[in-house]
Amino acid sequence: MPKKYHIHPKTTPLDLDYVYKFKIVRGENCINCGKCSKVCIYQAHKRSEADPRIMADPNTVVCRNCFRCIQECPRGALEKSLDQGYLSTAGAYWKPDMLISLWKQAEDGNVPVSGAGYRGPFTGTGFDSMWTDMSEIVRPTRDGIHGREYINTSVDLGRKLNHLVFGAEGQLLSKVPDTVDISLPILFDTPADKLSSSVKLAMIKAAAELNTFVIMPVADITAEFEKHSDNIIPRITAAEIDGYKDIINKARMVSIEFNDVLLKDFAGLKKKINKISRALLIIRVPAVKDVEYTVTKLAHDGAEIIHIAADYRGQELNSPAGSGSRHLKDVIRSVHQRLVEDHIRDEVTIIASGGIAMAENVTKAMLCGADLTAMDIPLLVGLGARIYEDREKFLVFPEGLAKIPTPVITQRMINLMSAWHSQILEMMGAMGIREARRLRGESGRAIFFEEIDKDTFGKLF
Ligand code: SF4
Ligand code: SF4
């Protein structure tokens, strides 16, 4: 039995102010009796250091929302209310609760618990309109992270053979292409050009520890990063290839931006890269209308790995939300179906990215037909970045981030991935799937709300 893949989380708090759902405020009618400091076991209430006769402002950061101090205050002086920062952060896709959840997962690597007493909606848009069939959850040996059966989350990237050919003597005649094996169905993508070099370095180190890769614009790969080339996928345009031969030579995979010339001469590009290196080629294709045609054509032309990239909400590019633009899950389903109809699905690896916000989105994207995913924003949210669905103010990094040492940032990324790994294991165990490779296109394990809705009520309304 292979050694179990295990991620080692370590509690790593960040001394930065973050988004909290409730704010606790002490009113002017407080008589400084100190009762709240006695009843709060989390020490949210303390006396002022400068003047111990009065109470300091409550520390919302450590509050666990038990409401005990509010009930016990003899003057009714304490008030808990929804925090304005919480209400103004994120948006329709990236909800404030998600930011808090990602922040906490990066803190200790634990799986968040939100099931008991859940009063929220059971469906939504994007990945939230997908439910997964957890009917195997009753099998204790398969019970996710606690079960005895080994659940494997590794996937391969590269071209696969449709079948093997053997000679008369039983010798293998097929030339088996190179593949790269990673332990999690997740690559890191670098989203913003304003990432500091310490965050980029931390991403690379976390990727190395987790046995995965960071996709990084080639111009960002400085001499400092080159020694980590085993875990970096340079992202490059076809026109830049000649200028970065050294980096391509050391890389195990190279991500090339799609352009129309590739549709006409993919073989020419492949030949050009092969002269420099044995790196596997990833073609990064924007998730636009007719992406099915592009992906299928590239797959027939011999592309090994195709990366379909939607926007940060998982929407198709070049089409405003609400204008009939599809979500990533629908794009992948359609691409997967087209490749199956063309009998070429098994030969090509599909990476899906854009709108991968939570661990369950990884599994759901794979059920829709992706072999693996790439994600970016959650890693930064785990470092305290806030996302606003506003073009002017999209990702806002905390002021103190530049002073945080790289090992701390690295560990928080590892913690986040540990929490995601555990959640993926739980979902796979509950679905009765022990190999992440078998998640791909397993849509029989998913229920799509839109389809159920249409089947049930479509004829009536
Ligand atoms: S219990 Fe109420 S009155 Fe007493 S110190 Fe706390 S807030 Fe003030
Ligand atoms: S609500 Fe509970 S945890 Fe929060 S400050 Fe009051 S006593 Fe402490």
Side-chain angles (χ1 to χ4, degrees), residues 26 29-36 55 72-75 77-78:
R26 180 174 286 105
N29 53 339
C30 167
I31 53 171
N32 297 302
C33 69
K35 188 161 186 188
C36 50
M55 300 297 293
E72 301 270 344
C73 172
R75 300 301 294 262
L78 293 168

Side-chain angles (χ1 to χ4, degrees), residues 226-293:
E226 273 189 51
K227 56 178 177 278
H228 304 288
S229 55
D230 265 4
N231 295 94
I232 300 176
I233 300 172
R235 181 176 163 185
I236 195 168
T237 62
E240 289 172 318
I241 292 172
D242 289 334
Y244 290 100
K245 283 183 179 171
D246 279 356
I247 290 177
I248 294 171
N249 181 259
K250 289 181 195 149
R252 293 162 69 198
M253 290 187 273
V254 178
S255 173
I256 308 273
E257 303 287 343
F258 172 76
N259 66 34
D260 289 340
V261 178
L262 287 184
L263 273 188
K264 294 188 193 106
D265 187 21
F266 175 77
L269 171 78
K270 179 76 187 152
K271 210 164 142 192
K272 190 169 182 180
I273 292 286
N274 283 351
K275 276 189 190 159
I276 304 168
S277 131
R278 290 189 61 186
L280 300 182
L281 263 189
I282 301 173
I283 307 298
R284 189 180 181 109
V285 180
V288 291
K289 290 212 182 325
D290 297 330
V291 66
E292 293 87 340
Y293 168 75

Side-chain angles (χ1 to χ4, degrees), residues 24 39-40 42 44-45 63-69 80:
I24 186 153
V39 298
C40 180
Y42 301 105
H45 301 284
C63 171
R64 292 292 181 273
N65 302 315
C66 74
F67 284 84
R68 189 163 173 211
C69 60
K80 270 180 91 62

Side-chain angles (χ1 to χ4, degrees), residues 284-291 307-311 314-319 325-328 331-332 353:
R284 189 180 181 109
V285 180
V288 291
K289 290 212 182 325
D290 297 330
V291 66
H307 178 167
I308 301 171
D311 79 1
Q315 291 300 132
E316 270 179 336
L317 297 158
N318 303 336
S319 49
S325 77
R326 296 177 295 176
H327 183 263
L328 181 67
V331 174
I332 307 168
S353 77

Side-chain angles (χ1 to χ4, degrees), residues 356-376:
I356 302 291
M358 308 295 285
E360 75 250 27
N361 298 168
V362 174
T363 321
K364 287 178 177 178
M366 294 170 79
L367 290 174
C368 288
D371 291 272
L372 71 157
T373 58
M375 65 88 156
D376 42 19

Side-chain angles (χ1 to χ4, degrees), residues 110-358:
N110 287 336
V111 177
V113 177
S114 54
Y118 178 71
R119 285 178 293 170
F122 285 91
T123 185
T125 54
F127 287 117
D128 288 344
S129 68
M130 255 181 100
W131 304 326
T132 50
D133 172 2
M134 302 280 197
S135 52
E136 301 268 341
I137 205 163
V138 290
R139 291 192 52 177
T141 55
R142 269 197 191 155
D143 193 10
I145 49 178
H146 309 294
R148 294 193 297 275
E149 284 185 21
Y150 182 46
I151 300 176
N152 185 1
T153 53
S154 65
V155 291
D156 325 290
L157 291 97
R159 188 88 180 173
K160 320 272 170 25
L161 292 179
N162 192 309
H163 57 275
L164 296 174
V165 178
F166 294 90
E169 310 289 312
Q171 76 279 26
L172 181 65
L173 298 180
S174 305
K175 187 174 174 306
V176 180
D178 291 340
T179 56
V180 172
D181 180 275
I182 59 173
S183 303
L184 275 175
I186 302 168
L187 301 170
F188 296 168
D189 215 351
T190 41
D193 52 8
K194 54 185 176 181
L195 286 188
S196 68
S197 66
S198 70
V199 171
K200 287 181 203 155
L201 182 60
M203 282 175 96
I204 297 165
K205 291 192 166 183
E209 172 85 21
L210 297 161
N211 186 29
T212 185
F213 287 81
V214 181
I215 305 168
M216 183 171 278
V218 72
D220 287 2
I221 305 174
T222 57
E224 179 194 13
F225 298 161
E226 273 189 51
K227 56 178 177 278
H228 304 288
S229 55
D230 265 4
N231 295 94
I232 300 176
I233 300 172
R235 181 176 163 185
I236 195 168
T237 62
E240 289 172 318
I241 292 172
D242 289 334
Y244 290 100
K245 283 183 179 171
D246 279 356
I247 290 177
I248 294 171
N249 181 259
K250 289 181 195 149
R252 293 162 69 198
M253 290 187 273
V254 178
S255 173
I256 308 273
E257 303 287 343
F258 172 76
N259 66 34
D260 289 340
V261 178
L262 287 184
L263 273 188
K264 294 188 193 106
D265 187 21
F266 175 77
L269 171 78
K270 179 76 187 152
K271 210 164 142 192
K272 190 169 182 180
I273 292 286
N274 283 351
K275 276 189 190 159
I276 304 168
S277 131
R278 290 189 61 186
L280 300 182
L281 263 189
I282 301 173
I283 307 298
R284 189 180 181 109
V285 180
V288 291
K289 290 212 182 325
D290 297 330
V291 66
E292 293 87 340
Y293 168 75
T294 307
V295 172
T296 314
K297 171 85 169 66
L298 287 169
H300 280 295
D301 289 351
E304 299 153 335
I305 309 165
I306 301 172
H307 178 167
I308 301 171
D311 79 1
Y312 68 100
R313 303 154 304 163
Q315 291 300 132
E316 270 179 336
L317 297 158
N318 303 336
S319 49
S323 65
S325 77
R326 296 177 295 176
H327 183 263
L328 181 67
K329 80 175 201 308
D330 301 309
V331 174
I332 307 168
R333 284 184 83 193
S334 177
V335 167
H336 175 76
Q337 188 59 35
R338 180 75 73 87
L339 292 169
V340 170
E341 284 163 10
D342 273 33
H343 307 288
I344 198 165
R345 179 63 191 94
D346 285 336
E347 288 156 58
V348 63
T349 302
I350 300 290
I351 304 169
S353 77
I356 302 291
M358 308 295 285

